[in-house]
Amino acid sequence: MAEPQEDLDPQAKHILTPVVRSGWLFFAVVGLLGGVFLFANLAWIRQLDEGLVVTGLNDRISWGLYISGFIYFIGISYGGTMVSAILRLTNTEWRRPITRVAEASTAAALMVAMVFPLFDLGRPERILNLVRFGRIESPLIWDFISIGTYLAGSVLFLYLALIPDFALMDKVLPKRVRFRRVLYRVFKMRWEGTPAQHAKLERALFAISIIIIPIAVSAHTVLSWMFGMTTRTGWHSSIFGPYFVGAALFSGIAIVVVAMAVFRRAHHLEDIITEFHFKKMANILLVFSLAYLYFTLSEYLTIIFQPSSDEQALMRLLIDGPLAPYFWFTTVSLVLVTFLLAFKPTRTIRWITFAAVLLNISLWLKRLIIVVPSMAVPLVPGDVVATYTPTWVEWAITAGSFAAFGLIFAVFSKLFPMVAIWEIREGAHATSAPQAAPGGTAPVRAGGKGGA
Amino acid sequence: MSDEAHRPAEAPADLESAPPTDAARRSFIKGMGIAAVVGGVALAAGESALSALGTHIQSGTAGHPENRFVMVIDLAQCDGCKKCTDACNKEHFVPPGQEWIKVYTVDDGFGGKYSLPRPCQMCENPPCRNVCPTGASFVNKDGLALIDQSICIGCRYCLAACPYSARYFNWTEPPHAPEELGHTNTPEEPWPHKKGVVEKCMFCVHRRAEGKLPACVDGCPMGAIYFGDAAEDAVTNGQGETLPLRKTLSQNAAYRLREDLGTGPSVYYLPPRGRL
C-alpha cells in the first residue's frame, strides 16, 4: 500500500496515513457495525410492513425509544458546536487537535437524528406533507425548520474547516485513491493556501461560529417546546428549554471525548491528542455536570412539592415505578460522574473516557424517562397508569442508529483526516518557529493567534 | 412572503471588489451560508402559503358556524353496561383495541364507585388541532374536531397533546368489515379504516344528516347520554326525552373534565348523585 507521498512533514504524514491505510481492526469494526446496521434495516422493513404494532407503543404511551433516541442524537450533535464554535471564538489554542473530531461528530449525529422521525411515523411515506400542508402553528413544524437549518449550518461548518485539508490531500495522496481525489479536487474550491485565502477562510469560520451558536440553541429549545407546549405533567415546564440545551451540550461534549479516545487509539494520535486535552475537556464536562445537577434538582423539587395528583403520580412513577431503575441509574451516575471529573486520581484519560461513556448512557436513559413517564400518568378519572415495554424491533433500530453513527464516522475517517492538519500547522506556526520535525512533540498550548 | 425569502440571495455589494478567482468561491460560501439560514425561513413561507391548500382536502365538512353540538352525560343514570361502546363500535366499524367512547370505573373516594363514559370531548380549543403539523386534525364549520386521514402522517403528536386520552392510532392494518370496503373514507365517515393514522369519536356527524342521534346516545338503554345543539338550548336522549340544556346543567351542577386546562369541552357531566 502506498503511503502519502511528497514533502510532507512527519506529523501531517502520520495524521494522513489512516485515510489511505486501513488495518484489520478497521474492517472488523466496520463489519460489526455493518452487521448491526443491516439487522436494524431488517427490523425496520418488518415495521414498515406490519406497522408500529411491532413496537411496544400503545395508545396511551405513543412515543418511546424512537422519540427519545431522536432527542439524544440531536443532543450529542452539540459537542461539535461547542468545541469548534465556542473555543474558536475564544481563541482557545488547545482546541486545534480536536476540532475536526468534534465537527464530524456533529454532522454524523445530525445525519442519524434526521432519520429518527421516519421510524416513528405511522405514514413515513407522507413525510413531505410537513412541507405540503405544514402548519406553522405546530411546534413540530418549528422543529422541522430549526433542525433542518441546524443540519445545513453544521455541514457547512464541517466543510469550511475541511477545505485546506482537501487541498493538501489532493496534492499528496497517492494516485491510487482516484475517486476520492476527484472529490478533493472539486471540494477544495481552488484553495492554494495564499494568505488572502487564509484570511477569508478565517473570516468565514468566524462568521459561521457565531451563526451556528444561536441556531444550535434554538434547535434543542424548540425540540423541548414540542413537549413543553402540551398540557402534560412533567413536560409542561419552562425549565425545559435550558434543560434540554444543557443536556445536549453535556452529552455532546462527552461524545466528543469518546470519539477523541477512539481515534487517539485507532489512528495512533497519542502525541497529538494528549492527557492535557482530556483534562481540558473534563473541566468543561465538570461545569456542565454541575449545571445539569442543578437543573435536575430544580426540576424534581418543584414537582415533589406540588400536591397535585398528576405531579405526585409522575414522581411516584419515577422513584418507584417500572422505569425507576432508569431514574436511579441516571441520577446516581450523574453524581458519580461529577466526582470522577472533579478529583485528581480519576482525572486520567481512562477515567475521563469512562465518565464520558457513562454519561452518554445515563443521558440516553434520561431522555427516555422524560418522554415515557409523563405519558404513563392517567388523565381521565378512573384511568390507570399505562405501561410500555420496548420490543426487539425498537431495540434493533436503536442499536442500528448507534451503528450508523459509527459507520458515518468510519466513512469520514477515510475521506478526511481526523485532525485538522492546517489548524495544527497554523497553531504551531503562530507559537514558534516552524517545527522541523514535530511528529511527536507537546501539544500546542498557549499564545498565538487563533480564530479570526 | 416567498419574495422576501428570496431577497437575501442577491450578492452583497462588497463581493464585487473581490478578485475574480475568489469571487466564485466566496459567493458559493456565502450562498451556502445564506441557504442554511434562509432555508428555514423560505420553508416556513412556503408552508404557510401551502397550508391554505390543505383546507381543500377536507372536503364535505360543511356545517353551520352557529351550531354548537353538546353532549350531556348523566352519571347518576349510567350503570356502566358499555352498550354505548358496543353501538359505537358497530356504527363505525371501530378497529379492535379502540373505544371511541370508553367507559371508566371511577372510585368516588368514599368507598363507592361510578361509571364514566368518555367520548371525544370536542373541545372548543382543541389541543390536538393546535399541535397537528399538517392540519389533518382540524375543526369543521360545526365546531367539531375531525381528522382528515388522507393527509395524517401518523406522528401521534395529537395523542400526546390530548388531555382526555380520547385518540387512538391504527398500529397495523385494521380488519375490515365487508360493508365498510365499498365506502370512501372522509373526515365524517372515516372508513375503511387505514393503517398508520389517527382515529377518534366524531360525534356521529354523519348521522345528523339522516336526522339521527349519535350511535352511543341511541344505544344507551339507561337514557344517560343526551345530545343536542346548544344554540337550541335542548338535548335529547335515546328514549326521546328532551331536556332544556342550560337549566339542566345549572340545576344539576354539571361539570366538564379537566375544566382548568381551558380546552372548553362540549361534553357535560351531571354528577353521579343518588345512585344505588
Side-chain angles (χ1 to χ4, degrees):
Chain A
M1 285 218 217
E3 298 249 338
Q5 26 160 274
E6 294 235 0
D7 51 335
L8 267 182
D9 59 90
Q11 191 184 40
K13 197 168 179 175
H14 184 70
I15 293 170
L16 271 179
T17 303
V19 176
V20 284
R21 236 195 207 180
S22 310
W24 65 270
L25 192 64
F26 174 80
F27 291 109
V29 169
V30 167
L32 183 72
L33 294 178
V36 176
F37 182 71
L38 280 181
F39 184 67
N41 276 280
L42 292 178
W44 192 19
I45 289 169
R46 188 181 152 84
Q47 179 184 299
L48 288 172
D49 189 36
E50 306 225 346
L52 287 159
V53 69
V54 297
T55 67
L57 299 168
N58 52 68
D59 290 317
R60 286 283 302 287
I61 299 179
S62 56
W63 284 347
L65 286 195
Y66 299 150
I67 295 290
S68 61
F70 176 59
I71 308 172
Y72 171 82
F73 275 100
I74 298 281
I76 60 170
S77 76
Y78 269 47
T81 316
M82 171 74 190
V83 174
S84 293
I86 300 180
L87 299 186
R88 201 183 290 278
L89 288 175
T90 51
N91 283 343
T92 309
E93 279 300 313
W94 60 263
R95 73 168 197 276
R96 292 182 184 278
I98 59 175
T99 47
R100 177 64 48 75
V101 168
E103 286 153 17
S105 156
T106 292
L110 276 175
M111 287 174 193
V112 176
M114 293 303 274
V115 186
F116 259 88
L118 284 180
F119 301 144
D120 196 66
L121 289 187
R123 290 291 188 126
E125 79 278 12
R126 293 183 180 173
I127 182 90
L128 285 179
N129 281 8
L130 289 176
V131 182
R132 283 177 68 201
F133 305 115
R135 283 176 74 245
I136 195 70
E137 301 94 321
S138 168
L140 212 135
I141 296 291
W142 308 346
D143 265 5
F144 188 63
I145 294 169
S146 68
I147 293 171
T149 311
Y150 178 41
L151 175 69
S154 299
V155 170
L156 182 65
F157 197 172
L158 171 70
Y159 169 62
L160 281 177
L162 270 169
I163 293 173
D165 282 358
F166 278 147
L168 177 71
M169 287 188 292
D170 180 42
K171 203 160 78 190
V172 303
L173 283 196
K175 296 271 179 288
R176 183 172 60 80
V177 293
R178 200 167 299 143
F179 172 68
R180 274 178 280 172
R181 287 189 58 151
V182 172
L183 285 182
Y184 300 149
R185 187 151 310 145
V186 173
F187 285 113
K188 74 173 182 179
M189 289 273 164
R190 275 180 267 157
W191 176 267
E192 306 287 345
T194 63
Q197 286 183 327
H198 265 288
K200 270 165 199 152
L201 182 67
E202 291 289 0
R203 267 183 64 195
L205 282 171
F206 179 73
I208 192 88
S209 298
I210 292 176
I211 294 167
I212 200 81
I213 292 170
I215 292 178
V217 170
S218 82
H220 229 56
T221 304
V222 167
L223 189 57
S224 85
W225 286 347
M226 188 168 93
F227 300 94
M229 298 302 161
T230 68
T231 58
R232 277 188 197 263
T233 298
W235 288 358
H236 177 59
S237 158
S238 62
I239 203 173
F240 254 39
Y243 200 15
F244 270 51
V245 172
L249 284 167
F250 196 16
S251 57
I253 295 163
I255 208 83
V256 171
V257 171
V258 177
M260 278 162 61
V262 169
F263 284 105
R264 179 175 189 267
R265 191 58 86 73
H267 290 186
H268 309 293
L269 302 172
E270 286 86 352
D271 297 325
I272 298 166
I273 301 173
T274 65
E275 188 171 78
F276 170 80
H277 297 101
F278 280 84
K279 283 184 173 167
K280 286 287 181 194
M281 292 294 272
N283 290 348
I284 301 177
L285 279 178
L286 182 59
V287 170
F288 280 102
S289 172
L290 292 168
Y292 199 74
L293 282 176
Y294 162 71
F295 279 143
T296 307
L297 183 72
S298 307
E299 183 200 16
Y300 291 130
L301 208 59
T302 42
I303 295 177
I304 288 169
F305 267 68
Q306 289 300 314
S308 130
S309 55
D310 285 355
E311 315 255 330
Q312 290 301 315
L314 176 65
M315 209 58 223
R316 263 199 309 278
L317 267 173
L318 286 171
I319 61 178
D320 200 18
L323 291 172
Y326 299 161
F327 171 80
W328 289 112
F329 178 85
T330 306
T331 312
V332 171
S333 62
L334 280 175
V335 175
L336 178 69
V337 161
T338 312
F339 281 106
L340 288 179
L341 294 170
F343 293 107
K344 206 159 188 187
T346 48
R347 283 170 62 85
T348 61
I349 293 182
R350 209 166 274 233
W351 278 107
I352 293 168
T353 308
F354 171 77
V357 171
L358 183 61
L359 245 171
N360 267 286
I361 297 169
S362 89
L363 285 172
W364 182 82
L365 285 172
K366 172 73 188 176
R367 268 56 171 249
L368 191 64
I369 60 170
I370 284 176
V371 173
V372 173
S374 282
M375 301 192 95
V377 172
L379 300 172
V380 180
D383 208 353
V384 293
V385 168
T387 55
Y388 161 64
T389 313
T391 60
W392 71 267
V393 173
E394 289 169 276
W395 287 116
I397 290 179
T398 303
S401 64
F402 280 93
F405 181 66
L407 284 173
I408 294 173
F409 250 119
V411 171
F412 280 176
S413 76
K414 296 297 146 191
L415 281 180
F416 48 76
M418 275 299 149
V419 172
I421 296 170
W422 71 274
E423 274 214 74
I424 293 213
R425 278 181 176 169
E426 198 167 87
H429 192 71
T431 318
S432 59
Q435 284 159 298
T441 45
V444 264
R445 293 197 187 206
K449 185 179 143 316
Chain B
M1 288 250 333
S2 55
D3 285 345
E4 257 175 57
H6 287 301
R7 199 178 306 148
E10 290 168 20
D14 69 315
L15 203 89
E16 264 85 270
S17 62
T21 44
D22 285 351
R25 194 188 70 251
R26 288 201 54 187
S27 66
F28 177 79
I29 292 172
K30 279 206 171 170
M32 284 212 10
I34 289 163
V37 179
V38 171
V41 179
L43 205 58
E47 269 161 12
S48 46
L50 277 163
S51 65
L53 265 176
T55 54
H56 294 299
I57 306 284
Q58 294 141 4
S59 58
T61 59
H64 199 279
E66 276 170 27
N67 289 343
R68 206 193 134 226
F69 294 104
V70 294
M71 218 177 254
V72 177
I73 302 180
D74 186 354
L75 299 179
Q77 298 298 323
C78 176
D79 66 351
C81 69
K82 304 191 181 180
K83 293 251 166 59
C84 53
T85 314
D86 292 344
C88 173
N89 288 350
K90 197 160 162 258
E91 174 72 25
H92 309 99
F93 317 102
V94 173
Q98 304 183 12
E99 293 167 279
W100 291 3
I101 177 162
K102 180 170 175 157
V103 182
Y104 292 90
T105 304
V106 189
D107 185 337
D108 65 10
F110 306 102
K113 287 188 190 322
Y114 65 92
S115 298
L116 182 141
R118 185 246 38 216
C120 171
Q121 304 290 300
M122 288 294 169
C123 305
E124 279 180 75
N125 178 21
C128 53
R129 184 272 317 262
N130 293 348
V131 300
C132 179
T134 60
S137 281
F138 69 104
V139 174
N140 80 349
K141 282 186 188 152
D142 282 334
L144 296 177
L146 299 178
I147 300 158
D148 184 343
Q149 294 182 339
S150 67
I151 62 170
C152 172
I153 60 171
C155 68
R156 306 186 301 290
Y157 196 0
C158 51
L159 270 78
C162 176
Y164 304 102
S165 308
R167 292 186 154 241
Y168 296 89
F169 182 73
N170 288 328
W171 299 95
T172 189
E173 182 69 36
H176 297 291
E179 307 94 289
E180 79 178 280
L181 284 175
H183 192 264
T184 307
N185 180 309
T186 64
E188 297 85 7
E189 299 185 0
W191 53 86
H193 296 279
K194 295 176 176 178
K195 174 184 161 191
V197 295
V198 171
E199 305 245 25
K200 74 172 184 68
C201 155
M202 7 72 75
F203 261 29
C204 281
V205 57
H206 63 296
R207 282 170 65 102
R208 210 175 57 254
E210 307 162 29
K212 288 189 198 159
L213 289 166
C216 56
V217 176
D218 267 346
C220 176
M222 307 300 289
I225 312 177
Y226 297 79
F227 183 82
D229 186 346
E232 290 170 359
D233 195 29
V235 285
T236 309
N237 69 2
Q239 270 74 29
E241 186 191 349
T242 298
L243 298 177
L245 176 66
R246 284 204 290 184
K247 196 174 159 203
T248 306
L249 297 181
S250 169
Q251 285 186 338
N252 293 283
Y255 71 95
R256 297 187 286 184
L257 292 181
R258 301 196 84 110
E259 182 103 52
D260 56 314
L261 295 177
T263 50
S266 302
V267 178
Y268 294 88
Y269 290 92
L270 306 185
R273 296 169 54 211
R275 64 193 192 282
L276 296 173

